[in-house]
Amino acid sequence: MKAKNLIAKADIDPVKLEIPEEHKDKDIRFTVTVKLPDEGWYYTADHIAVLSQRPTAVYMGEDAPLNCLIGNGQELIGKRFLLTSHFELVRSGSEEDTPSTVEYTLTFYADDVELNTSKRVKGPALQVNFRTDIIFA
Amino acid sequence: MRALLFTCAALLLIADAQAQSPDFSYESLKLNSSPAYIMLGVDPVNISRPGSPSDFIGGVQSAVVNNQLQPNFALETTPYYWKNPAEREARLIRAYDYIVADGNDVWDNIRKSFTISLATSTSDTFTFGQMKKGTGYGIGIHFILFSGRTNTRTREILETKFKLAPKRSVYQFLISKLELNGTINIDEELGNWSKSIQQHIAEKEKVSNYSYPIEVDAVVKEVRAKIDKKVLTGDADKALLEEERNKVDAESAKLLKKLNSAKVPLSKEGFMLEAAIGNSGVAENNEWNMISNAKTGIWLTPSFRINTRQKLQNISYLDIMGVIRYMWNRAEVDSANYIDLGARLQFTHNRISVSSEYIARWLSHRPESVPGNYTWRFDVSFDYKINDLVTFKATFGSNFDGNSLHYSDPSKMFAIGGLNFGLGNLFR
C-alpha cells in the first residue's frame, strides 16, 4: 500500500511517511530525479540529506541521489529525515533570458518497492531550493 | 553522361530525443555528416565539427542522387545515455568536465561520445558501381577523442563558483543539523561535515565539485572564524547560519549573472578530434538473400574553434575543420580504393552560419580507361536558424564524380535545400 502523498508539501513542516508493516524489515532508500524542461539551460546542484541520531550525512554531493540508503525500515520509525537540494541555473544555448523551471522528483523505496513519489516544480529562477522534511512512521 | 549526385533535397526532418549540446540549439539538430550517411554517399555535408552526443537522434531526408529521388533515413544513438538517462546526468555542470579534465580525458570522452550510426537509402549505380539497384544500408560508429576546452572567461567564473560550493554545503549542513537536534556543538558538527564530505569525495569516480579547487580543512577554519560560539541553539543561531549561507548564495548569484550574460558560456572551443568507422552494403534487387558488403571507411575529423565574438550577447565562431579518410571498395563498386583529404571553413554569427568545404579524393590506382586518379567535392552551405526548432539550410556545389568505373570531371552543380526540425520534446 502506498503512503499518503503529502511529501510534495514537506517544504516547510515535517510530514509523516508511513512505512507499511510488510516493508518494515526492508532497507529504505531514496532517489532524486532532476529535469529542466527548457532547452539551453544547465545547472549546478548541492544535495544534503541528514537523519536524526546519525552524526554524518546520509547523502552529500552534487549528483542527484540515486537509490541512496537511509536505513532499515524498523530502525527508522520515529526518526526525522531532512533533505535539501539547491540548484543554480546557467544559460547556454537558450534564446530566452527567463530561466527554465526545475522539476524535482523524489521517490522512496523499501528495497525495490516504491513507497512514495512526489513531484515538485519550482522557478523560473536562477537559484532554486527544495526542502523535504519527513518523520518516518 | 555525368549525372548529378545531389540535386535539391526537399526536406530534412531531424528528431532528437535529448540533445546534450550546450551550443546553439541548431547544432544539436545536425545529422549531416553521420558515418552511415557518408558511406551511403547521401551526406549533405562531408565535414562537420562533432556535436555533443544524444541518447537518440533520427532524421529523414530526400535527395536526388543520379537524377532520381532518393529518400533516406538515418538514426544515431549513444549507449552512454541509455545507462545514464539524460535528465540525470547531462545538464549537471561538473568541475571535472569544465575545469579539471576539460576535454582532455580521452577515455572519458570516448565512453561518453561513442555513437552508433545507422542509415538506409535506395542505392544507385554511381555510389555502388556495378552492384544491382536495391536498398543500401550504412552502419558506423564515431567517437570524440578530444572535446575542446572551456572558454577562458567561463573557466574563471566557474572556478570562483566551485570555491563557493563547500562553503554553502557546510552552512546548510549545520542548519539542517540544528533543525533536527535543536542544539548542536559546532566543532562536533564541523567534524561530521568533514567526514561526510570526505566520504563523498572518496566515493566519487571523478573529482568532486567540492574538492576542486578548495581544501575541506580551509573551509572548516573559515567557518570557525566566523561563528564564534561553541554551541548553537534556537532560532537566533539558525538565523545566524542562514545569514552566512545567504551571503554565499548572493555571491554565487553575482557569478551566475556574469556567466549568463554570455549566450553560450559552456560551449567548448579550441581543438577537437573525432574518429569514425563506417561500412555500407546493398540488398540488390531489394532481396534479403542478396545483401552484400560494398564499402568500408575509416577517418579522422580534427577541428579548431575560435571564439570571435566582440560582445557577450553574440554567438560568433570561426571553425576550421579537416578530414582524412581511407575507403576500401568492393571490386563491383570500384576497382580502386579512395583516399580523401579535405578542409572546411565555417563562420557562425548568431542565427547565420556560412561554410565552405573542399575535399580531394585520390584513387589508390588508376585503371587505363580512366582519365585521372583525382576527383573532388566542393560546396558552400548557408544555415539560418529561424527559431529554436527550425533551421533553414541550403548547400550548393560539386560532388565527387562517382568512381573509377564512371570517371569524368566533377563539373556539375548539386544543390540541397531544406529545413531541419527539432522534435525532441515529443520524445520526452
Side-chain angles (χ1 to χ4, degrees):
Chain A
M1 190 181 87
K2 282 192 178 182
K4 195 175 178 184
N5 192 2
L6 293 171
I7 292 170
K9 295 173 182 171
D11 259 28
I12 301 168
D13 296 318
V15 298
K16 281 186 181 175
L17 176 64
E18 193 178 331
I19 304 171
E21 198 59 43
E22 66 268 28
H23 298 315
K24 280 187 175 156
D25 60 339
K26 293 177 179 169
D27 283 341
I28 307 300
R29 296 175 182 273
F30 73 107
T31 289
V32 169
T33 304
V34 180
K35 191 175 178 185
L36 306 189
D38 296 345
E39 290 288 346
W41 286 93
Y42 294 75
Y43 63 92
T44 59
D46 180 20
H47 305 271
I48 299 173
V50 293
L51 182 71
S52 52
Q53 296 170 35
R54 177 178 158 149
T56 55
V58 172
Y59 182 82
M60 184 177 280
E62 66 267 33
D63 298 290
L66 177 63
N67 212 21
C68 180
L69 178 67
I70 306 172
N72 177 268
Q74 195 66 51
E75 291 165 9
L76 288 178
I77 304 298
K79 288 188 180 171
R80 195 171 159 196
F81 173 81
L82 193 54
L83 167 66
T84 55
S85 299
H86 175 74
F87 300 96
E88 300 197 347
L89 274 68
V90 175
R91 185 256 297 269
S92 195
S94 173
E95 288 285 333
E96 304 296 329
D97 290 334
T98 308
S100 173
T101 54
V102 179
E103 291 180 9
Y104 183 86
T105 306
L106 169 63
T107 306
F108 288 92
Y109 299 93
D111 286 345
D112 293 335
V113 181
E114 184 185 318
L115 291 179
N116 186 291
T117 294
S118 59
K119 184 177 172 182
R120 281 171 273 179
V121 180
K122 286 193 176 180
L126 290 178
Q127 292 180 325
V128 175
N129 293 295
F130 292 90
R131 181 177 179 277
T132 307
D133 194 350
I134 278 173
I135 297 173
F136 289 104
Chain B
M1 187 182 114
R2 170 155 175 157
L4 297 180
L5 280 178
F6 286 84
T7 321
C8 192
L11 197 68
L12 294 164
L13 183 64
I14 304 291
D16 74 311
Q18 183 73 44
Q20 311 306 327
S21 172
D23 282 304
F24 346 98
S25 49
Y26 66 74
E27 282 209 334
S28 64
L29 300 179
K30 285 181 178 175
L31 199 57
N32 295 335
S33 54
S34 153
Y37 266 163
I38 287 173
M39 294 311 296
L40 283 171
V42 292
D43 46 307
V45 170
N46 201 276
I47 308 169
S48 67
R49 185 174 163 90
S52 296
S54 304
D55 49 359
F56 173 81
I57 179 167
V60 291
Q61 65 173 7
S62 287
V64 173
V65 180
N66 202 9
N67 280 342
Q68 290 188 348
L69 187 66
Q70 192 167 302
N72 47 71
F73 168 78
L75 67 84
E76 291 204 331
T77 181
T78 305
Y80 174 78
Y81 292 101
W82 302 347
K83 190 181 167 190
N84 303 279
E87 61 268 27
R88 283 202 67 79
E89 293 282 343
R91 303 230 212 151
L92 178 62
I93 301 167
R94 301 172 195 279
Y96 184 80
D97 294 335
Y98 288 92
I99 296 171
V100 183
D102 198 13
N104 288 320
D105 184 339
V106 173
W107 289 114
D108 197 48
N109 291 338
I110 292 173
R111 188 171 67 94
K112 289 179 178 171
S113 67
F114 184 88
T115 298
I116 300 162
S117 164
L118 301 167
T120 183
S121 165
T122 52
S123 71
D124 77 294
T125 53
F126 254 74
T127 309
F128 293 103
Q130 292 175 338
M131 294 180 81
K132 291 173 187 167
K133 284 187 178 179
T135 301
Y137 67 85
I139 55 173
I141 56 166
H142 61 103
F143 46 87
I144 294 169
L145 297 167
F146 296 99
S147 65
R149 301 205 69 195
T150 306
N151 172 273
T152 307
R153 177 181 179 273
T154 301
R155 187 187 174 90
E156 285 170 4
I157 298 171
L158 284 179
E159 277 181 339
T160 312
K161 192 167 153 37
F162 286 131
K163 282 181 187 171
L164 297 173
K167 290 184 192 175
R168 191 187 197 283
S169 172
V170 71
Y171 287 121
Q172 185 58 59
F173 181 80
L174 293 174
I175 292 165
S176 296
K177 292 304 283 279
L178 186 56
E179 278 194 56
L180 284 187
N181 302 330
T183 300
I184 57 169
N185 178 304
I186 193 164
D187 288 325
E188 196 178 302
E189 294 302 344
L190 284 172
N192 288 332
W193 176 78
S194 296
K195 280 182 200 165
S196 302
I197 206 160
Q198 277 159 0
Q199 186 186 348
H200 159 72
I201 291 166
E203 285 172 359
K204 284 282 288 181
E205 189 186 343
K206 301 290 183 188
V207 177
S208 162
N209 286 2
Y210 295 130
S211 61
Y212 181 86
I214 207 160
E215 292 294 327
V216 168
D217 290 347
V219 177
V220 170
K221 277 182 191 168
E222 192 181 320
V223 173
R224 204 63 195 88
K226 283 188 178 174
I227 313 280
D228 188 24
K229 284 184 174 184
K230 283 193 173 179
V231 174
L232 298 178
T233 186
D235 289 343
D237 284 341
K238 188 183 161 198
L240 177 71
L241 292 171
E242 284 175 340
E243 189 185 333
E244 291 300 326
R245 182 199 60 191
N246 293 344
K247 280 182 194 170
V248 176
D249 286 351
E251 207 176 327
S252 197
K254 283 181 193 167
L255 293 169
L256 276 178
K257 196 176 173 186
K258 201 173 167 186
L259 201 55
N260 289 340
S261 62
K263 273 198 172 174
V264 283
L266 301 178
S267 177
K268 295 279 189 166
E269 298 166 9
F271 180 70
M272 284 182 83
L273 183 64
E274 188 183 54
I277 301 168
N279 176 268
S280 64
V282 177
E284 293 175 276
N285 297 328
N286 298 320
E287 291 179 18
W288 284 106
N289 59 359
M290 290 188 70
I291 294 176
S292 308
N293 181 49
K295 308 175 178 193
T296 301
I298 183 167
W299 61 99
L300 283 173
T301 308
S303 63
F304 195 89
R305 170 167 287 176
I306 302 161
N307 193 336
T308 53
R309 73 180 177 209
Q310 300 293 317
K311 292 179 182 173
L312 286 171
Q313 296 80 8
N314 286 338
I315 298 167
S316 189
Y317 291 115
L318 181 67
D319 288 310
I320 304 155
M321 296 161 267
V323 71
I324 179 165
R325 178 185 298 121
Y326 193 88
M327 205 176 282
W328 291 267
N329 292 308
R330 186 181 166 180
E332 287 84 350
V333 174
D334 199 331
S335 60
N337 295 328
Y338 304 148
I339 303 153
D340 293 350
L341 197 61
R344 180 180 190 85
L345 196 65
Q346 177 172 296
F347 179 68
T348 304
H349 186 79
N350 295 332
R351 291 170 180 268
I352 294 170
S353 173
V354 182
S355 67
S356 181
E357 70 181 2
Y358 181 89
I359 300 151
R361 170 170 289 178
W362 288 271
L363 304 180
S364 57
H365 69 274
R366 183 173 66 86
E368 285 183 7
S369 58
V370 173
N373 67 342
Y374 170 79
T375 183
W376 48 268
R377 170 188 168 120
F378 172 78
D379 67 61
V380 177
S381 281
F382 172 81
D383 287 77
Y384 180 75
K385 179 182 162 187
I386 297 166
N387 57 43
D388 279 349
L389 293 176
V390 185
T391 300
F392 169 77
K393 181 176 187 64
T395 302
F396 308 90
S398 294
N399 212 331
F400 300 119
D401 182 52
N403 49 54
S404 65
L405 303 174
H406 299 278
Y407 192 85
S408 64
D409 291 331
S411 56
K412 298 221 173 164
M413 193 180 88
F414 77 88
I416 298 176
L419 298 170
N420 284 353
F421 293 92
L423 302 174
N425 284 328
L426 296 177
F427 293 83
R428 286 169 210 161

